[in-house]
């Protein structure tokens, strides 16, 4: 299946054994990918289901459901303080490939970016494209940006970790094991968390962890921690 193109569809597009393609999907399949009638592709709903489909003149016929085993056995929420510029675009792209389930954009005390609704739509498109490329069964969900103090206090996930660049804290691999089914990782902005934010996080049940002795950029840290977690669960 490695050479077959993938697109994400809405489950409501399925009618009996057919997929009713949108005009944008037809354009992408026929014009951009230059597929032809009777060519095959994979349709994914972004929620765990894949189908092998074959193009017809206007739509597509479902040939068979496919079993997908590409997901990590843990739900990961990345609570990420928004970096400057378009850094969050890369974070979404790379961390989708690494297995993130939810992205929770955070407005911290040192956050410079003030995201618009258009940004949120763009981030969701990037996650969808990255999920297709990396053969994910699920497309990560991008949550609405909120203030860090609000997000930390309202968090309902039991296993919570906040990455801290400086200080004597246990390495993340010393506190996370592969028996956990749901975790949340918080990563700060350029300049790191303020003392007040770290205090709030700890009072809210977050355990401070280290990613090593070096100081990582805010766009590098999530890739490092996700790679370490994936290694823990996929060994």
């Amino acid at each position: 299946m490695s050479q077959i193109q993938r697109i994400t569809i809405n489950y409501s597009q399925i009618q009996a054994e057919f997929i009713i393609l949108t005009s944008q999907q037809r354009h992408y399949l026929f014009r951009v990918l230059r597929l032809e009638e009777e060519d095959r592709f994979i349709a994914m709903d972004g929620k765990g289901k894949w189908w092998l489909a074959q193009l017809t003149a206007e739509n597509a016929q479902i040939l068979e459901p496919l079993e997908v085993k590409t997901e990590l056995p843990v739900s990961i929420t990345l609570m990420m303080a928004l970096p400057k510029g378009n850094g969050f675009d890369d974070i979404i792209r790379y961390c989708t490939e690494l297995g993130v389930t939810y992205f929770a954009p955070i407005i911290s005390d040192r956050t410079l970016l003030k995201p618009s609704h258009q940004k949120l739509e763009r981030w969701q498109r990037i996650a969808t494209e990255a999920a297709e490329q990396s053969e994910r069964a699920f497309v990560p969900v991008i949550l609405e940006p909120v203030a860090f103090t609000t997000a930390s206090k309202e968090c309902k996930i039991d296993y919570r970790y906040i990455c801290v660049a400086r200080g004597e804290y246990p390495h993340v691999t010393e506190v996370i094991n592969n028996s956990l089914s749901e975790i949340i990782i918080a990563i700060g902005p350029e300049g790191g968390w303020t003392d007040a934010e770290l205090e709030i996080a700890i009072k809210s049940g977050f355990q401070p962890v280290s990613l090593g002795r070096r100081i990582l950029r805010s766009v590098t840290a999530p890739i490092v921690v996700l790679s370490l977690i994936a290694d823990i669960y996929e060994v």
Side-chain angles (χ1 to χ4, degrees):
M1 294 295 178
S2 60
Q3 300 302 316
I4 299 182
Q5 299 291 341
R6 296 162 183 81
I7 66 166
T8 302
I9 65 168
N10 191 303
Y11 190 80
S12 62
Q13 292 178 243
I14 297 179
Q15 296 184 13
E17 74 272 22
F18 289 94
I19 299 172
I20 308 304
L21 299 173
T22 66
S23 58
Q24 293 88 347
Q25 289 166 344
R26 286 195 294 271
H27 174 79
Y28 180 70
L29 291 167
F30 286 107
R31 301 296 184 185
V32 178
L33 298 182
R34 298 191 178 279
L35 298 184
E36 299 178 352
E37 190 173 344
E38 298 189 358
D39 281 346
R40 297 182 176 189
F41 67 97
I42 291 173
M44 49 184 283
D45 70 349
K47 298 180 180 179
K49 295 184 182 296
W50 278 26
W51 299 270
L52 179 64
Q54 185 175 52
L55 283 171
T56 62
E58 291 292 326
N59 295 298
Q61 182 177 8
I62 295 175
L63 300 179
E64 61 177 310
L66 299 174
E67 185 178 6
V68 189
K69 297 181 179 180
T70 57
E71 295 299 311
L72 291 174
V74 58
S75 175
I76 303 173
T77 297
L78 178 63
M79 184 183 287
M80 183 74 213
L82 290 169
K84 60 186 178 182
N86 293 322
F88 198 55
D89 292 12
D90 289 335
I91 290 171
I92 291 174
R93 186 174 294 109
Y94 300 142
C95 292
T96 293
E97 294 176 17
L98 290 167
V100 163
T101 312
Y102 295 95
F103 288 93
I106 295 300
I107 308 298
S108 70
D109 290 345
R110 291 175 173 152
T111 296
L112 300 176
L113 179 67
K114 304 299 181 184
S116 63
H117 184 69
Q118 288 74 21
K119 276 280 188 182
L120 192 63
E121 293 177 346
R122 170 180 168 80
W123 291 337
Q124 192 62 67
R125 286 197 302 271
I126 291 172
T128 298
E129 292 168 0
E132 293 171 357
Q133 180 274 322
S134 58
E135 302 186 13
R136 290 280 305 272
F138 290 86
V139 174
V141 175
I142 315 294
L143 303 176
E144 290 280 350
V146 296
F148 176 69
T149 52
T150 301
S152 60
K153 291 176 180 178
E154 294 181 351
C155 178
K156 294 180 172 59
I157 297 175
D158 291 335
Y159 296 97
R160 317 168 193 178
Y161 308 94
I162 182 167
C163 298
V164 185
R166 293 180 171 84
E168 296 298 322
Y169 299 109
H171 194 272
V172 65
T173 56
E174 297 175 5
V175 298
I176 294 181
N177 61 70
N178 60 12
S179 67
L180 308 181
S181 61
E182 188 177 29
I183 60 177
I184 184 165
I185 302 289
I187 296 177
E190 291 90 346
W193 303 108
T194 63
D195 292 340
E197 288 173 328
L198 184 56
E199 182 179 353
I200 290 171
I202 293 173
K203 287 182 178 179
S204 300
F206 281 78
Q207 178 177 350
V209 294
S210 168
L211 297 182
R213 299 176 182 177
R214 289 157 299 283
I215 304 301
L216 304 177
R217 296 177 63 226
S218 61
V219 295
T220 307
I223 299 172
V224 171
V225 71
L226 264 295
S227 299
L228 292 170
I229 293 172
D231 185 60
I232 291 170
Y233 280 86
E234 293 186 323
V235 168

